[in-house]
Amino acid sequence: MALVAAGDHEAFARLYDAVAGPVFGLVRRILRDEAQSEEVTQDVMLEVWRGAARYDPLRGEVLPWVMTIAHHRAVDRVRHCEAAADRDRTVAAGSRETPFDEAAEGAGTRMERQQVRHCLRRLTDLQRESVVLAFYQGLTHREVAERLSTPLGTVKTRMRDGLIRLRDCLGAGS
């Protein structure tokens, strides 16, 4: 990695040969689309080339470092694609002439928001903070753990317990 960081093309070619297959495999499992997987794999390898100086051998091996980059890129791509699909659905729904009672629709939406806020208030502070960071700010479990300076397993447990409580609270109100 030190040679790659110094701009050694041959060292990067050897690194590429060693990690591109596992990177593509991981990305392919997440994206399930070959063309996008190839594109994300290329982005990951470019990021490895450009960011090789950030690699710290004291923090772990090269392959897990590269695979972490790949996982983050693949998850970002999924989120991007889902957001684009949501925008498309919103535009398509807005273009249809669907008669509805705007006042009733607005009242229903307000009531749902109030119910969600009510149920969020019933969570512990730690559960609520984890759930809000993940679902309203779009952070991954790992990013929530880093933001809260809390072990990843603890964050996952808080979120699972919080989501169960939310489900039960929202289900009880239905």
Side-chain angles (χ1 to χ4, degrees), residues 118-138:
H118 166 75
C119 292
L120 279 170
R121 283 193 296 270
R122 295 182 66 187
L123 300 180
T124 67
D125 290 341
L126 300 173
Q127 289 170 339
R128 182 175 42 259
E129 189 172 24
S130 297
V131 169
V132 166
L133 286 172
F135 289 92
Y136 289 102
Q137 294 186 18

Side-chain angles (χ1 to χ4, degrees), residues 142-156:
R142 184 171 307 286
E143 291 167 336
V144 171
E146 290 170 1
R147 174 86 53 95
L148 300 177
S149 301
T150 304
L152 180 59
T154 302
V155 166
K156 288 181 177 182

Side-chain angles (χ1 to χ4, degrees), residues 97-117:
E97 294 290 326
T98 308
F100 67 94
D101 183 347
E102 288 185 28
E105 183 72 18
T109 302
R110 277 193 304 280
M111 289 172 51
E112 289 170 6
R113 286 186 190 138
Q114 288 173 344
Q115 180 68 17
V116 169
R117 282 194 290 271

Side-chain angles (χ1 to χ4, degrees), residues 89-97:
R89 281 190 292 273
T90 301
V91 168
S95 66
R96 281 187 263 140
E97 294 290 326

Side-chain angles (χ1 to χ4, degrees), residues 31 70-81 140 143:
L31 296 178
H71 183 265
H72 286 265
R73 284 288 180 128
V75 169
D76 287 347
R77 178 63 62 98
V78 168
R79 287 182 179 152
H80 173 77
C81 290
T140 64
E143 291 167 336

